[in-house]
Amino acid sequence: MQSTSLTVNGRAVSVAADGDTPLLDVLRNHLGLIGTRFGCGAEQCGCCMVLIDGKPEKSCGKPLSTVAGKQVLTVEGLGTPERPHPLQQAFLDEQAGQCGYCLSGILISAKALLDDNPAPSRREIALALDDNICRCGSHPRILRAVERAAAQMRQGGSR
Ligand code: FES
Ligand code: FES
């Protein structure tokens, strides 16, 4: 069995798995990072979104071999319960989730947006989240939460 080295949430890891294994399976089944969710498995819903070298990507369609040597960030790398990322805090403050299943992917897409654009318009936020489906219809609260986080990060809560 071949081994692939990559960095996940700042930690160097080596994974013994076939190179065709989807990154989503590696994260959940090999590394125990179950915050990244399986939804459709067909690159359609966005709930498996992670950052790969800073860019949002659907991990269900990413073979392990293509992320060798890359930096992967999952929702577990965003913040902790004691020290949440401003996006996580804003989602809590706005009660932005209903079932919550979509939220790890949405938080990752939102982080990618705010890393690039600290003051997005509502339309820019909606476009950045276009690949993320929320079956509960929580979109208005999700948009408000991203706006709240952006404002807070501009006031100095950024990281
Ligand atoms: S599980 Fe990857 S896009 Fe739906
Ligand atoms: S909060 Fe349920 S799918 Fe988005």
Side-chain angles (χ1 to χ4, degrees), residues 96-103 106 133-139 141-142:
Q98 195 163 312
C99 78
Y101 202 82
C102 65
L103 289 188
I106 286 178
I133 291 174
C134 173
R135 294 165 184 81
C136 294
S138 297
H139 306 89
R141 283 178 286 165
I142 288 168

Short mmCIF file of all heavy atoms in Angstrom, two decimals, residues 96-103 106 133-139 141-142, ligand 2:
data_model
loop_
_atom_site.label_atom_id
_atom_site.label_comp_id
_atom_site.label_asym_id
_atom_site.label_seq_id
_atom_site.Cartn_x
_atom_site.Cartn_y
_atom_site.Cartn_z
N ALA A 96 -27.47 30.38 12.67
CA ALA A 96 -27.55 30.29 11.22
C ALA A 96 -27.87 28.88 10.73
O ALA A 96 -28.28 28.72 9.59
CB ALA A 96 -26.25 30.78 10.59
N GLY A 97 -27.67 27.89 11.56
CA GLY A 97 -27.95 26.54 11.11
C GLY A 97 -29.30 26.04 11.61
O GLY A 97 -29.83 26.54 12.60
N GLN A 98 -29.83 25.08 10.90
CA GLN A 98 -31.03 24.40 11.41
C GLN A 98 -30.59 22.98 11.78
O GLN A 98 -30.24 22.70 12.91
CB GLN A 98 -32.14 24.43 10.38
CG GLN A 98 -33.48 24.08 10.99
CD GLN A 98 -34.63 24.50 10.10
OE1 GLN A 98 -34.67 25.63 9.61
NE2 GLN A 98 -35.55 23.59 9.86
N CYS A 99 -30.48 22.08 10.80
CA CYS A 99 -29.94 20.74 11.13
C CYS A 99 -28.42 20.80 11.26
O CYS A 99 -27.82 19.99 11.95
CB CYS A 99 -30.34 19.72 10.07
SG CYS A 99 -29.36 19.81 8.56
N GLY A 100 -27.78 21.75 10.58
CA GLY A 100 -26.33 21.94 10.69
C GLY A 100 -25.50 21.11 9.73
O GLY A 100 -24.28 21.27 9.69
N TYR A 101 -26.15 20.23 8.98
CA TYR A 101 -25.36 19.29 8.16
C TYR A 101 -24.49 20.00 7.13
O TYR A 101 -23.38 19.58 6.86
CB TYR A 101 -26.28 18.27 7.48
CG TYR A 101 -25.56 17.02 7.09
CD1 TYR A 101 -25.33 16.00 8.02
CD2 TYR A 101 -25.05 16.85 5.80
CE1 TYR A 101 -24.65 14.86 7.68
CE2 TYR A 101 -24.37 15.70 5.45
CZ TYR A 101 -24.17 14.71 6.39
OH TYR A 101 -23.48 13.57 6.06
N CYS A 102 -25.00 21.07 6.56
CA CYS A 102 -24.26 21.77 5.49
C CYS A 102 -23.17 22.68 6.02
O CYS A 102 -22.35 23.19 5.25
CB CYS A 102 -25.25 22.63 4.69
SG CYS A 102 -25.97 23.98 5.69
N LEU A 103 -23.18 22.96 7.34
CA LEU A 103 -22.44 24.13 7.83
C LEU A 103 -20.93 24.01 7.76
O LEU A 103 -20.25 25.02 7.56
CB LEU A 103 -22.87 24.46 9.27
CG LEU A 103 -24.27 25.04 9.42
CD1 LEU A 103 -24.48 25.51 10.85
CD2 LEU A 103 -24.53 26.17 8.44
N ILE A 106 -20.06 25.14 4.40
CA ILE A 106 -20.36 26.56 4.22
C ILE A 106 -19.33 27.42 4.96
O ILE A 106 -18.86 28.44 4.44
CB ILE A 106 -21.80 26.87 4.68
CG1 ILE A 106 -22.76 26.33 3.61
CG2 ILE A 106 -22.01 28.37 4.90
CD1 ILE A 106 -24.22 26.49 3.91
N ILE A 133 -25.13 23.64 -0.91
CA ILE A 133 -26.58 23.50 -0.78
C ILE A 133 -26.95 23.42 0.71
O ILE A 133 -26.29 22.72 1.49
CB ILE A 133 -27.06 22.22 -1.50
CG1 ILE A 133 -26.90 22.40 -3.01
CG2 ILE A 133 -28.49 21.87 -1.14
CD1 ILE A 133 -27.19 21.16 -3.81
N CYS A 134 -27.98 24.17 1.09
CA CYS A 134 -28.57 24.02 2.43
C CYS A 134 -30.00 23.56 2.24
O CYS A 134 -30.85 24.31 1.77
CB CYS A 134 -28.53 25.34 3.20
SG CYS A 134 -29.42 25.24 4.77
N ARG A 135 -30.25 22.33 2.63
CA ARG A 135 -31.58 21.77 2.40
C ARG A 135 -32.61 22.32 3.37
O ARG A 135 -33.81 22.17 3.18
CB ARG A 135 -31.52 20.24 2.52
CG ARG A 135 -30.70 19.59 1.43
CD ARG A 135 -30.35 18.15 1.79
NE ARG A 135 -29.48 17.52 0.80
CZ ARG A 135 -28.17 17.69 0.73
NH1 ARG A 135 -27.56 18.50 1.59
NH2 ARG A 135 -27.46 17.08 -0.18
N CYS A 136 -32.14 22.94 4.45
CA CYS A 136 -33.08 23.49 5.43
C CYS A 136 -33.55 24.89 5.04
O CYS A 136 -34.41 25.45 5.72
CB CYS A 136 -32.42 23.57 6.81
SG CYS A 136 -32.04 21.97 7.51
N GLY A 137 -32.95 25.48 4.03
CA GLY A 137 -33.37 26.82 3.63
C GLY A 137 -32.94 27.89 4.61
O GLY A 137 -33.64 28.89 4.80
N SER A 138 -31.76 27.71 5.23
CA SER A 138 -31.29 28.69 6.21
C SER A 138 -30.50 29.84 5.57
O SER A 138 -29.81 30.57 6.27
CB SER A 138 -30.39 28.00 7.24
OG SER A 138 -31.10 27.04 7.96
N HIS A 139 -30.64 29.99 4.27
CA HIS A 139 -29.78 30.94 3.55
C HIS A 139 -29.80 32.37 4.11
O HIS A 139 -28.73 32.97 4.25
CB HIS A 139 -30.15 30.96 2.06
CG HIS A 139 -30.13 29.60 1.43
ND1 HIS A 139 -31.23 28.77 1.40
CD2 HIS A 139 -29.13 28.93 0.83
CE1 HIS A 139 -30.90 27.64 0.80
NE2 HIS A 139 -29.65 27.70 0.45
N ARG A 141 -30.20 33.51 7.11
CA ARG A 141 -29.41 33.60 8.36
C ARG A 141 -27.94 33.34 8.08
O ARG A 141 -27.06 33.93 8.71
CB ARG A 141 -29.95 32.62 9.40
CG ARG A 141 -31.23 33.13 10.03
CD ARG A 141 -31.79 32.14 11.02
NE ARG A 141 -32.39 31.01 10.34
CZ ARG A 141 -32.70 29.86 10.92
NH1 ARG A 141 -32.45 29.69 12.20
NH2 ARG A 141 -33.26 28.89 10.22
N ILE A 142 -27.66 32.46 7.13
CA ILE A 142 -26.26 32.18 6.76
C ILE A 142 -25.61 33.43 6.17
O ILE A 142 -24.49 33.80 6.53
CB ILE A 142 -26.20 30.98 5.79
CG1 ILE A 142 -26.53 29.69 6.55
CG2 ILE A 142 -24.83 30.89 5.11
CD1 ILE A 142 -26.78 28.47 5.66
S1 FES B 2 -28.87 23.80 8.11
FE1 FES B 2 -29.70 21.90 7.42
S2 FES B 2 -28.84 21.61 5.46
FE2 FES B 2 -28.19 23.58 6.03
#
